[in-house]
Amino acid sequence: MINLVDVVKHLETKYPKTLAYEWDNVGLQVGSLNRRASVVLVTLDVTKDVVKEAIALKADLVVTHHPLIFKPVSSVATESPRGWMIDKLIKNDIALYAMHTNYDLADGGMNDRLAKLLGIRDPKLLDETENIGRYGTIDPQSMSSYILKVKNALGIGSARFIGQLDKNVATVGVSGGSGSNHVGQAKRQGCDLYVTGDVTYHTALDCAQMGLSVLDVGHYAEKIFKSAVAEELSEAFPDVKVVVSAIDTDPYVTL
Ligand SMILES: [Zn+2]
């Protein structure tokens, strides 16, 4: 019999909680791990639809990338979406576990997987002080054709670009999620293109001024978390039913 504790122990040996940034909130967020693991649902975000999906699947555990509880919660009144979700998880005996920046940073985690999908050879650490991001060389090609490949590899319909499309790319940097703090480092490491998410208008202006091309693929590109973690867990625990959430949690619609 597999216990939820075993499942989480397995994850924590690969993605130790101690790797997470101090501002982050990872680990067990709702419920108890002291129960049998029959069904595990893997998701990028926790939304009401994901909670309903977990209930329908009779899941024992939801593994999420983005934490449901991040800033201090002042109330779990069920009128608020977060309160509703926490209440439903507890009432249905569903534990919730988050792996966020510890997953981003770890060997074989988010940034390594993104680097592989982007065709980066021998990825090196992009930002050594913050221990995050990867960079390396790709087969030299035109910016526009490479961007098309990136969109296909990540399965995203749109992305925002800063820079000049008529250039060539040979060195690429990547940091999944909000990586706009590392644009200076991407420039210093000689990246022709930096792929990340959450680039604000003012950071975009700075990048244009320093001549760094950036592709903002959003946070939803991190949906690769779902199949990657589900695959790992199914391999480690063949008797546990591991499900990739079918809910599209991307809040943005491009019109
Ligand atoms: Zn993210």
Side-chain angles (χ1 to χ4, degrees), residues 44 65-66 100 104 176-178 219 222:
L44 178 65
H65 182 50
H66 294 135
H100 190 211
D104 291 333
S178 316
H219 274 259
E222 295 179 297

Side-chain angles (χ1 to χ4, degrees), residues 91-112:
K91 281 187 178 146
N92 289 279
D93 272 331
I94 303 169
L96 176 69
Y97 184 85
M99 305 196 282
H100 190 211
T101 49
N102 48 329
Y103 185 79
D104 291 333
L105 270 64
D107 284 341
M110 183 70 76
N111 286 316
D112 272 333

Side-chain angles (χ1 to χ4, degrees), residues 8-254:
V8 163
K9 260 193 197 149
H10 176 86
L11 292 172
E12 289 184 357
T13 45
K14 292 193 78 177
Y15 315 108
K17 284 194 286 187
T18 47
L19 284 182
Y21 284 150
E22 216 163 282
W23 50 258
D24 204 358
N25 191 29
V26 300
L28 183 66
Q29 303 215 311
V30 176
S32 162
L33 294 176
N34 193 13
R35 46 182 282 129
R36 193 185 164 159
S38 302
V39 182
V40 175
L41 179 67
V42 186
T43 185
L44 178 65
D45 307 283
V46 184
T47 63
K48 283 183 167 185
D49 284 342
V50 171
V51 172
K52 287 179 196 163
E53 184 186 32
I55 295 169
L57 286 164
K58 296 194 169 22
D60 309 293
L61 173 70
V62 175
V63 178
T64 183
H65 182 50
H66 294 135
L68 173 66
I69 300 171
F70 191 59
K71 295 179 196 135
V73 173
S74 52
S75 147
V76 281
T78 52
E79 302 92 83
S80 78
R82 191 168 279 101
W84 185 93
M85 290 186 266
I86 294 168
D87 178 60
K88 285 282 184 256
L89 289 169
I90 291 171
K91 281 187 178 146
N92 289 279
D93 272 331
I94 303 169
L96 176 69
Y97 184 85
M99 305 196 282
H100 190 211
T101 49
N102 48 329
Y103 185 79
D104 291 333
L105 270 64
D107 284 341
M110 183 70 76
N111 286 316
D112 272 333
R113 285 182 181 271
L114 286 171
K116 199 171 179 192
L117 283 170
L118 299 188
I120 298 173
R121 282 185 296 251
D122 268 332
K124 289 180 268 298
L125 193 56
L126 179 75
D127 192 325
E128 288 181 2
T129 352
E130 301 225 18
N131 191 24
I132 203 163
R134 301 287 186 271
Y135 79 102
T137 53
I138 57 159
D139 292 330
Q141 54 198 284
S142 77
M143 186 73 80
S144 48
S145 73
Y146 182 65
I147 287 174
L148 206 62
K149 282 183 203 156
V150 171
K151 283 170 61 185
N152 284 334
L154 300 179
I156 51 170
S158 64
R160 295 204 295 182
F161 177 68
I162 301 136
Q164 287 159 310
L165 278 174
D166 56 1
K167 285 198 166 176
N168 278 351
V169 207
T171 303
V172 174
V174 64
S175 184
S178 316
S180 58
N181 292 344
H182 316 290
V183 292
Q185 200 53 27
K187 179 72 185 166
R188 277 189 287 280
Q189 305 285 22
C191 296
D192 304 308
L193 178 69
Y194 177 50
V195 180
T196 189
D198 251 353
V199 178
T200 63
Y201 180 83
H202 295 286
T203 306
L205 267 183
D206 289 345
C207 292
Q209 293 302 301
M210 66 169 116
L212 174 70
S213 294
V214 177
L215 190 67
D216 183 341
V217 293
H219 274 259
Y220 199 59
E222 295 179 297
K223 66 177 185 288
I224 60 164
F225 175 85
K226 296 199 275 188
S227 50
V229 172
E231 217 170 272
E232 275 178 53
L233 289 179
S234 317
E235 246 170 61
F237 304 102
D239 295 338
V240 177
K241 182 178 168 191
V242 184
V243 183
V244 171
S245 172
I247 308 293
D248 178 345
T249 54
D250 192 355
Y252 292 107
V253 178
T254 304

